Amino acid sequence: MARAATTSDAFNAIAEPQRREILVLLRGGERPVTDLARDLGMTQPQASKHLRVLREVGLVRVRGAGKQRLYGLDAHGLRPVHAWLGGFERFWSESFDRLDEYVQELQQATQEGPHDDDNQ
């Protein structure tokens, strides 16, 4: 099955690590491209290219503020990713429950220590 173009699919867009970093930075609020580029150690054109992709898939919104363009997170675009990951929540919960039970068993065994009758 062919994959969707990066500009039309949130999964492909966030597969790129620098785009994920941009989303993390935008969780703190709107930022101009110059700030994002500086914080990510990239040029403004590189940051702008990533922002364009994120905007086209609906993960980032932009608004004009005087001479600046401010970019902000549009978490609505992450809904397909969240829904897909939600399918694994039961698996993770069950795995963590089993791990918790095992840790409790180990702690109980450690607290009880060796039994005297085991040495006879």
Side-chain angles (χ1 to χ4, degrees), residues 20 60 81 83 98 117:
R20 291 193 307 269
V60 169
V81 176
R98 285 192 304 273
D117 55 356

Side-chain angles (χ1 to χ4, degrees), residues 58-73:
L59 298 175
V60 169
R61 63 184 171 350
V62 62
R63 73 176 181 90
K67 293 182 179 182
Q68 282 189 324
R69 292 171 52 121
L70 297 177
Y71 292 86
L73 180 64

Side-chain angles (χ1 to χ4, degrees), residues 18 21-22 25-26 31-51 69 71:
Q18 291 180 314
E21 290 180 41
I22 289 171
L25 289 172
L26 292 177
R31 310 265 304 265
V33 66
T34 52
D35 287 2
L36 294 168
R38 181 193 66 233
D39 290 351
L40 295 170
M42 64 176 66
T43 65
Q44 185 173 341
Q46 289 171 320
S48 293
K49 182 178 177 182
H50 288 304
L51 286 165
R69 292 171 52 121
Y71 292 86

Side-chain angles (χ1 to χ4, degrees), residues 101-111:
E101 289 171 12
Y102 178 70
V103 168
Q104 288 178 11
E105 289 173 12
L106 287 177
Q107 288 173 339
Q108 185 176 7
T110 303
Q111 290 172 356

